[in-house]
Amino acid sequence: MIETVLLYLALAVFVAGSFYRISAWFRHDIRPDTPPTSPGARLGAALKGIAATVFSPKLFTLIRAFVMDGLLQVRLLKRSPYRWVMHICIYGGFMILLLFHALDSLITAKLFSNYQSTANPWVFIRDFAGLLVIVGVVMAVRRRFFGPAPRPLSAKADTVLIAILAVIMLSGIVLKASKITSHTSYLDMVDVYAATFDEEELNALEAFWVDQYSVVSPDVTGPFAPETLEAGEMLHEMACAECHAKPNWAFTSFAVAKAGKRYALKLDQMNFPGLIWWVHYLACMLGLAYVPFSKMFHFFTTPLSLATNAVFDKGSAAPANLATKQMMELDACMHCGACTLACSVGVTVAAVPNTFILPSEKIPAIRELAAGKTLSPDRLRLLQQGLHLCTSCNRCTEACPAGIQLTDLWAAVKETVLRKGVPEFLLLSPLSVHRGVTAGPALDTDGYREPLATAMGAAGGGRLAEFRRDPQPCLLY
């Protein structure tokens, strides 16, 4: 009963958290020049854009991008086979476990009428998928902490996520291992499948399971007579074989079971399989509830971002849809650091103590800005410095496996930060170029004068009086 309550609670948190994050795409905006639009109007504009795409030739481009770049991650494979293997291991293994293990009663059992979780190929698939995730996590940790510099910083959320994944996968392997050797689990199986056998038959069956299935029994130990094993095998074929694959098919769990076999009886007496089941179940529920609040949410948003950008036309799109797309892209970021490795000025972080120079480190602060949170003056200035040291080389956008248009995002945030009145005097020329290129004829010169005057005044610029007389020539500086 309590596990059902926990499941519904975790699902409720997952749904509520997902709804909150998705609704933020239509409530928040990072672009200062977007006309004020209600969330309902932005949702309507998005649905209109989706309908226009679905009923046009762009639909095939959308599907291709979703399958090739979103699911198969061909875009990532071309840039880094190592990262492709890492992502496929984590993503593929996790999705297999989710669909064919965690949701087996809803999916696998409906698709396969003879489904039994303890039979093959499911025993092997479950074990193999868990191993894939572990390999992927190890590769991710190696790349994050021992890969080439500059490396993205690991936030607390990243550490928590890795810890939850590790507990889920390792407890799952240990749980299966403890059940392989557990005499209690064996007796539970006998009560269901061999309750009609007499005592002699039960002894023969137990002998077979001790010999062939690695059960550790307190009463029945080998070596066994060949005729006993033969009789046990016949009984096994009658009652158990159809539903129970040999334990060595769960190769990782089987290896753990063999290594801990000497402790099996003591652990079984302590009800260790039951205890580790609760650890595994609680970790799974915690992981499910945590998904919308972690970068694991990109499992859903990254394919969506790749598909959207494949068909999105910035020139003809409604401003509201551009704002919504950029908010969605912030959620598609997986903090993988690909943009940081590609950044042409990323190496300067070794000399300039400002992590906002790194593209991957700007995203969390931009999320806060978009949500209307107030950044401290120092953090705001550091963000502006990191934004304007950017050379707009577009290498970060090309490297991003999620397809995020990072260069467009930096341009929008530059203007947002500038309008907050935090100009950087030494960056006036880049600011002038940026505003002239991005705003063009629509440049609000009245809005430009105030931050420029503030910067020149704060720096004691000798041209301040000249600027006040005639600001236009000063726009070149």
Side-chain angles (χ1 to χ4, degrees):
M1 177 63 182
I2 188 172
E3 56 264 33
T4 304
V5 172
L6 290 173
L7 173 60
Y8 284 127
L9 180 61
L11 283 172
V13 174
F14 173 82
V15 172
S18 300
F19 177 80
Y20 180 80
R21 288 194 70 163
I22 293 173
S23 69
W25 303 350
F26 307 98
R27 292 184 288 109
H28 299 156
D29 188 8
I30 198 60
R31 305 176 73 246
D33 54 348
T34 303
T37 311
S38 68
R42 284 175 61 173
L43 176 61
L47 293 176
K48 183 178 179 181
I50 292 172
T53 300
V54 169
F55 296 103
S56 76
K58 287 184 178 180
L59 176 62
F60 301 102
T61 303
L62 184 77
I63 295 174
R64 181 184 180 281
F66 182 82
V67 174
M68 299 300 291
D69 294 334
L71 300 182
L72 301 180
Q73 301 184 30
V74 173
R75 175 191 178 104
L76 180 60
L77 176 61
K78 292 177 180 178
R79 297 196 62 87
S80 173
Y82 180 92
R83 283 170 44 223
W84 181 82
V85 172
M86 179 185 75
H87 278 88
I88 288 296
C89 284
I90 297 176
Y91 181 77
F94 184 84
M95 293 307 294
I96 290 172
L97 288 172
L98 176 66
L99 298 176
F100 298 107
H101 176 48
L103 302 176
D104 60 352
S105 61
L106 299 176
I107 297 177
T108 320
K110 303 295 184 184
L111 294 175
F112 303 93
S113 58
N114 60 344
Y115 169 73
Q116 293 288 340
S117 64
T118 52
N120 264 336
W122 312 111
V123 170
F124 174 79
I125 289 174
R126 184 167 60 245
D127 205 76
F128 181 70
L131 181 62
L132 281 181
V133 176
I134 291 173
V135 169
V137 170
V138 171
M139 293 176 70
V141 170
R142 176 191 173 279
R143 178 175 175 270
R144 177 59 58 92
F145 295 104
F146 305 102
R151 294 188 291 268
L153 303 179
S154 290
K156 289 182 180 180
D158 296 338
T159 305
V160 170
L161 182 61
I162 290 174
I164 292 175
L165 281 175
V167 172
I168 290 174
M169 297 305 150
L170 295 178
S171 63
I173 291 174
V174 174
L175 174 60
K176 179 62 179 177
S178 67
K179 285 186 173 182
I180 288 173
T181 57
S182 172
H183 187 248
T184 301
S185 296
Y186 165 78
L187 292 179
D188 290 340
M189 183 270 296
V190 168
D191 287 341
V192 175
Y193 297 100
T196 59
F197 291 175
D198 60 32
E199 185 175 353
E200 183 179 351
E201 290 173 329
L202 289 175
N203 288 336
L205 180 64
E206 187 166 337
F208 180 79
W209 271 69
V210 168
D211 186 72
Q212 296 293 315
Y213 278 71
S214 298
V215 171
V216 178
S217 171
D219 306 314
V220 180
T221 57
F224 303 105
E227 55 271 19
T228 301
L229 293 178
E230 185 177 349
E233 184 176 8
M234 290 179 60
L235 295 168
H236 169 78
E237 293 292 335
M238 290 170 52
C240 313
E242 185 178 352
C243 302
H244 292 82
K246 275 203 167 185
N248 56 323
W249 283 103
F251 50 95
T252 55
S253 297
F254 185 66
V256 173
K258 296 288 282 186
K261 200 168 184 179
R262 68 177 68 180
Y263 308 106
L265 283 177
K266 184 174 291 186
L267 292 174
D268 199 29
Q269 292 170 0
M270 296 167 52
N271 191 28
F272 182 75
L275 294 175
I276 199 66
W277 182 89
W278 274 109
V279 171
H280 183 67
Y281 186 80
L282 290 174
C284 289
M285 294 303 100
L286 179 61
L288 175 62
Y290 189 61
V291 164
F293 309 98
S294 72
K295 67 179 184 181
M296 284 284 282
F297 198 63
H298 83 266
F299 273 23
F300 310 101
T301 52
T302 293
L304 187 59
S305 172
L306 288 163
T308 301
N309 278 304
V311 297
F312 195 86
D313 184 357
K314 187 170 65 174
S316 61
N321 282 341
L322 180 57
T324 300
K325 182 181 80 76
Q326 288 189 325
M327 291 307 305
M328 179 190 66
E329 287 178 328
L330 289 177
D331 273 346
C333 175
M334 63 193 79
H335 200 233
C336 66
C339 53
T340 285
L341 286 174
C343 180
S344 59
V345 295
V347 293
T348 61
V349 78
V352 181
N354 182 0
T355 56
F356 286 136
I357 293 171
L358 306 178
S360 57
E361 303 312 308
K362 296 184 182 75
I363 298 294
I366 293 173
R367 282 199 191 103
E368 294 180 34
L369 275 179
K373 296 181 180 178
T374 301
L375 273 61
S376 68
D378 288 342
R379 197 162 179 233
L380 205 54
R381 286 187 175 87
L382 288 172
L383 176 60
Q384 186 180 57
Q385 184 186 47
L387 286 164
H388 287 96
L389 284 177
C390 170
T391 62
S392 299
C393 64
N394 210 44
R395 290 173 63 180
C396 56
T397 298
E398 294 174 354
C400 179
I404 303 172
Q405 300 300 302
L406 291 167
T407 306
D408 292 344
L409 187 62
W410 308 149
V413 182
K414 283 178 185 178
E415 185 67 17
T416 299
V417 175
L418 182 61
R419 293 192 186 186
K420 288 183 177 292
V422 193
E424 183 66 56
F425 178 70
L426 296 178
L427 300 174
L428 291 178
S429 291
L431 286 175
S432 300
V433 172
H434 154 69
R435 302 191 86 188
V437 170
T438 59
L443 179 64
D444 180 6
T445 55
D446 291 334
Y448 199 158
R449 293 173 189 174
E450 182 179 350
L452 185 57
T454 303
M456 297 183 73
R463 304 200 65 215
L464 182 57
E466 180 184 345
F467 166 77
R468 285 174 173 163
R469 290 193 302 272
D470 186 7
Q472 290 303 322
C474 296
L475 298 186
L476 299 175
Y477 290 89

